[in-house]
């Protein structure tokens, strides 16, 4: 049941901003321009995964550090930017902070 609930939350979180930041390119541009469309989707993905214990980041993690990680990945992996930004963040976060 927890998996199903998490999946629903992830889908809803992702669709809440899908029209503004569909792809990694959209998110990259929004962040470089300093728009609110940058912070909201990053925090939505991070908070959803952390709350449902799909990721276990270090206790000193904060919004700015998470954003830096996302931007680093977007800069270093331009070929991936055409993928949905939410999918990219889920992949990066779960690889970076797996729960043991």
């Amino acid at each position: 049941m927890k998996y199903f609930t998490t999946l629903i939350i992830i889908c809803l979180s992702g669709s809440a901003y899908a029209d503004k930041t569909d792809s990694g390119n959209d998110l990259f541009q929004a962040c470089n321009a300093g728009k609110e469309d940058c912070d909201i989707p990053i925090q939505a993905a991070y908070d959803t995964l952390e709350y449902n214990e799909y990721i276990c980041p270090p206790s000193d993690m904060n919004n700015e550090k998470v954003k830096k990680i996302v931007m680093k990945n977007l800069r270093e992996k331009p070929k991936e930017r055409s993928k949905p930004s939410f999918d990219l963040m889920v992949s990066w976060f779960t690889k970076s902070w797996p729960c043991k």
Side-chain angles (χ1 to χ4, degrees):
M1 182 65 177
K2 184 176 181 178
Y3 175 78
F4 179 73
T5 304
T6 301
L7 186 59
I8 297 287
I9 291 169
I10 289 172
C11 289
L12 292 175
S13 297
S15 64
Y17 68 90
D19 62 328
K20 295 181 182 177
T21 53
D22 281 333
S23 71
N25 281 320
D26 296 327
L27 183 61
F28 188 67
Q29 290 173 355
C31 290
N32 282 329
K35 294 183 177 180
E36 186 178 89
D37 291 349
C38 171
D39 297 330
I40 293 171
I42 293 172
Q43 206 55 48
Y46 178 84
D47 288 346
T48 300
L49 294 170
E50 183 182 32
Y51 177 79
N52 290 288
E53 298 176 358
Y54 281 103
I55 60 171
C56 295
S59 59
D60 67 341
M61 193 57 55
N62 61 40
N63 296 350
E64 197 57 38
K65 288 180 182 179
V66 173
K67 182 178 174 180
K68 285 181 183 179
I69 290 167
V70 170
M71 289 303 291
K72 180 180 184 288
N73 278 291
L74 289 170
R75 262 192 310 280
E76 293 177 357
K77 301 172 183 172
K79 291 182 181 178
E80 290 187 16
R81 283 192 228 153
S82 62
K83 296 177 183 175
S85 60
F86 190 78
D87 294 351
L88 291 171
M89 289 185 285
V90 168
S91 174
W92 297 331
F93 294 165
T94 56
K95 287 177 186 171
S96 296
W97 306 302
C99 291
K100 297 178 182 180

